[in-house]
Amino acid sequence: MGSSVEIRPEVEISPRVSLLVERLADAEIEMAPSLPDTWVMDIIHALDEDPRFTMIMVGREESAIGICTGAFFGGKNSAVIMGASGFMACIYAITKICYTYQIGFPIVMSMRGGVTDRATHHQANGSYLEGILDTLGMPVLMLNEDRDYDHIPDAAYHARIQKRPAIIGLPGRP
Amino acid sequence: MKLAEALTVMAKQRDGELVITAASTASREWYRETNDIDATFYLQASMGISPMVTLALAMAIPDATVWTFTGDGGLVMNPSVLATEAQYRPPNMRHFVVMNRVFSGTGKLPLANNAELDFVRVAEGFGVPAECCHTVRSVEELESHADGILSDKPGYALVILEVEPATDAPPPQPPLDGPEMKYRFARTIEQRHGVKVFGPQGV
């Protein structure tokens, strides 16, 4: 295997991050291709530190779609961990692969640009993200309350039934 | 070297390897050469992503040797796959880059700076060890790899196939749509490798 430069990640493992990781384990997720934004970086680090998962850092989010596709054929459950902007960047991969070949898996994603998000660089996500998800007919499970996390395994299985990705949406940094 | 000649050698050497092709002429040429619609997954119309499908499949099923084809246009589009490949380097993965230096399916227009492109240097820059990188320019050279990268001996390899742009009309695509390709490939994997891709409800 290749090597990694040792750098101490600046992350925080909150109770909700731990809860999310446990629910991904309940969903029998084994591979987690990821690319961070500030709302999902803690989750990615937690998965990387947990021997139940293989967190695979990618260079572009569309590569994560490819990894989940390969995991599907390998009989392994997987979930993408990425930010909203990353989702926008991989619509090509999602439509060309997931929708063409009818392959579904969960995408844990930051729902940036909402009413309470004060980041100006997510203005475009605020304007278009929900509309695009609606246009694609992509199911969304929003993690607004702790009890919503209990449905993560349902969302993962729903993606297989629907044969398209299911979004597990984060309204903020958990 | 013509791509068709290279694929003839590879098809002859193939011994149960799973194959994932990409959105490139290799996809059509591989189908023409093999007529394989079971152990080959034709990942058409998604450039630069087939290596990641292959990486994950290889990691998920260590006893399966998996070949992938990428067009050079696709690899230029998503070169960071090489960084992820370099990190994991599954010993059962072989990544073949079809290097004809043009966009074959769209007018054979040249890739940017096509004469200077050197994917071995790119790969090494992303951390792929030099000993894993191979450039093949002739059928004889490819045949010399029969006991190595074209066999099931363990060892990740990135292989640049230097080929001439095709002059003939492209062969036809495999006569399958996406879902049928998915089910055929997945059921073949289940039968050959004892893997459960689909659950009891068939999803």
Side-chain angles (χ1 to χ4, degrees):
Chain A
M1 269 185 46
S3 60
S4 294
V5 175
E6 288 297 323
I7 299 174
R8 186 182 177 85
E10 295 172 0
V11 296
E12 182 182 329
I13 309 304
S14 69
R16 279 194 171 175
V17 169
S18 298
L19 180 59
L20 193 150
V21 170
E22 288 308 309
R23 292 299 168 262
L24 288 175
D26 291 342
E28 300 180 338
I29 300 298
E30 295 187 57
M31 286 190 183
S34 307
L35 204 149
D37 80 353
T38 52
W39 288 8
V40 299
M41 58 189 184
D42 318 290
I43 301 164
I44 293 171
H45 179 72
L47 292 171
D48 195 30
E49 295 282 293
D50 192 319
R52 293 174 294 180
F53 304 94
T54 301
M55 191 288 292
I56 300 171
M57 193 65 79
V58 296
R60 277 187 72 80
E61 286 85 353
E62 57 191 6
S63 290
I65 304 301
I67 286 175
C68 284
T69 302
F72 169 84
F73 285 118
K76 302 285 186 192
N77 290 336
S78 62
V80 180
I81 319 294
M82 67 180 173
S85 300
F87 173 83
M88 297 291 243
C90 68
I91 289 182
Y92 164 75
I94 288 172
T95 53
K96 291 285 192 177
I97 297 178
C98 300
Y99 281 60
T100 301
Y101 297 93
Q102 294 184 1
I103 296 173
F105 40 81
I107 296 176
V108 178
M109 185 172 101
S110 64
M111 300 292 278
R112 301 302 307 250
V115 169
T116 57
D117 188 348
R118 295 195 164 212
T120 55
H121 58 282
H122 283 289
Q123 174 190 356
N125 291 327
S127 297
Y128 302 112
L129 177 61
E130 287 195 18
I132 287 172
L133 289 172
D134 191 51
T135 297
L136 292 173
M138 205 170 279
V140 179
L141 168 70
M142 284 301 296
L143 300 180
N144 293 316
E145 308 287 342
D146 282 3
R147 62 174 179 266
D148 297 324
Y149 287 65
D150 292 340
H151 294 295
I152 287 173
D154 297 323
Y157 194 68
H158 188 68
R160 291 187 76 100
I161 294 173
Q162 291 294 319
K163 301 178 186 60
R164 60 183 58 186
I167 303 299
I168 297 171
L170 295 160
R173 186 179 177 188
Chain B
M1 176 171 69
K2 291 184 178 7
L3 176 60
E5 294 170 338
L7 296 185
T8 298
V9 172
M10 294 180 67
K12 188 177 165 190
Q13 291 299 325
R14 186 185 184 195
D15 185 19
E17 287 85 354
L18 299 171
V19 176
I20 298 177
T21 70
S24 68
T25 48
S27 193
R28 296 174 181 233
E29 292 283 2
W30 182 253
Y31 173 66
R32 175 164 66 180
E33 180 64 39
T34 65
N35 283 304
D36 181 14
I37 56 174
D38 293 307
T40 295
F41 187 68
Y42 297 90
L43 189 65
Q44 296 164 311
S46 43
M47 294 173 70
I49 302 173
S50 61
M52 294 290 91
V53 179
T54 305
L55 176 85
L57 181 57
M59 290 171 70
I61 312 178
D63 71 350
T65 301
V66 194
W67 293 355
T68 192
F69 293 102
T70 314
D72 48 5
L75 192 53
V76 163
M77 205 173 271
N78 193 15
S80 67
V81 296
L82 295 172
T84 307
E85 281 183 44
Q87 179 159 6
Y88 293 95
R89 297 206 294 275
N92 53 332
M93 176 178 176
R94 314 282 191 272
H95 180 174
F96 297 93
V97 181
V98 177
M99 188 86 181
N100 55 17
R101 301 178 187 272
V102 297
F103 291 106
S104 301
T106 44
K108 296 190 177 53
L109 297 179
L111 270 64
N113 203 30
N114 67 343
E116 302 292 328
L117 291 177
D118 184 341
F119 283 120
V120 170
R121 285 173 63 194
V122 172
E124 291 178 8
F126 274 117
V128 178
E131 61 267 25
C132 296
C133 300
H134 309 269
T135 301
V136 174
R137 296 182 176 85
S138 71
V139 166
E140 294 72 28
E141 208 172 344
L142 187 57
E143 287 171 336
S144 73
H145 288 290
D147 291 334
I149 54 180
L150 296 182
S151 74
D152 60 358
K153 282 185 186 166
Y156 164 81
L158 175 72
V159 184
I160 312 301
L161 300 172
E162 290 274 8
V163 298
E164 307 153 19
T167 52
D168 301 333
Q173 293 185 10
L176 305 169
D177 73 350
E180 186 173 9
M181 281 194 214
K182 160 191 152 183
Y183 287 108
R184 280 183 172 270
F185 190 61
R187 293 299 186 194
T188 297
I189 289 172
E190 287 187 327
Q191 287 161 14
R192 285 194 187 180
H193 297 285
V195 168
K196 292 302 288 179
V197 178
F198 300 107
Q201 290 186 290
V203 294

